[in-house]
Amino acid sequence: MTGWIWIAGVLAALLAALYCRVSYYGSPQVKLLFKGAASLAFVVLGLLCAGKAGASGYAALMSLGLVLGAVGDVLLQWMECRPQNRDGLFRSGLGAFLAGHVFYIAAFMLVMRTTFLQFALAFALFAAMFILQFPAKVELGAQKAPVYAYAAVISLMAGYALCGVFYAPQLRTSLMLAGGL
C-alpha cells in the first residue's frame, strides 16, 4: 500500500506541475483535462492514505472533502470552457469547495477539542480577508454573499488547523495546517 501511495503522490505532483504549465499556454479544454487529472490524482492519493489509516470517521470526512474539492476545481476550470455559464459554474464550484471545507472542519472536530481560540482565530482571519478586499479593489458584485460564506468557512477551518498544531504538535496536525493554508 505504501508503494501505491508514493506513486499516487508523485503522479499528483507531476500532474499539478503540468497543469501549472498548461494554465499559461493551453487551450481551455487542455487546462480542464489537466486540472481534472490532477484533482483526481489528489483524490486517489487521499483515498489510498485513508485506506492505510483504516476505517474511521476522520478518514471518511477528509475523503469526502477531497472529492468535493476536486469537483470544485473542475467546475471552476470549466468556466473558461463555458463562459456563458460562468456565474452558475462559479457558484457551483464555490459551493462544492464550501461543502468540502465543512467536511474538513467536521473531521478536525473529531480529532481535536473545540475551544474559543478556533473561533477567535477564524474571526481574525475573516476580518483580515474582509478588510484586504478594499485596498486590493476586489469587486465581488453578485457573488458577494457566496464568497463571504466561503471565506467564513475556510477561516474556521484554518483556525482549527492552526490550533491543532499548538495543542498537539505532531505530524498529523502539521499536515492539517499545511492543507488548511
Side-chain angles (χ1 to χ4, degrees):
M1 176 73 82
T2 303
W4 286 110
I5 291 173
W6 278 103
I7 291 169
V10 169
L11 181 63
L14 286 173
L15 287 168
L18 283 170
Y19 169 73
C20 289
R21 175 76 173 135
V22 301
S23 69
Y24 288 102
Y25 304 109
S27 70
Q29 293 78 11
V30 171
K31 293 177 191 179
L32 180 60
L33 174 71
F34 279 95
K35 183 62 148 185
S39 296
L40 178 61
F42 279 109
V43 169
V44 168
L45 175 62
L47 293 174
L48 287 171
C49 290
K52 184 171 174 58
S56 70
Y58 176 81
L61 291 168
M62 292 300 281
S63 296
L64 285 169
L66 281 171
V67 168
L68 287 165
V71 168
D73 275 340
V74 169
L75 288 169
L76 291 179
Q77 186 61 54
W78 199 1
M79 289 188 316
E80 202 173 328
C81 296
R82 300 276 185 232
Q84 69 275 18
N85 299 338
R86 186 172 183 78
D87 285 348
L89 288 168
F90 178 79
R91 283 192 199 103
S92 298
L94 192 70
F97 276 126
L98 188 145
H101 285 84
V102 168
F103 281 111
Y104 293 148
I105 292 167
F108 292 168
M109 292 174 84
L110 289 177
V111 296
M112 69 178 69
R113 62 188 171 133
T114 299
T115 68
F116 174 76
L117 188 54
Q118 282 105 340
F119 294 98
L121 280 169
F123 179 78
L125 290 168
F126 180 80
M129 285 188 275
F130 181 80
I131 291 167
L132 288 174
Q133 76 177 331
F134 299 110
K137 296 183 177 19
V138 175
E139 271 303 317
L140 299 173
Q143 309 296 352
K144 192 177 287 188
V147 168
Y148 287 166
Y150 178 68
V153 169
I154 61 169
S155 296
L156 184 57
M157 185 202 66
Y160 267 96
L162 283 166
C163 287
V165 171
F166 295 114
Y167 285 133
Q170 53 187 298
L171 179 60
R172 178 172 55 179
T173 54
S174 297
L175 291 173
M176 289 165 117
L177 176 61
L181 300 177

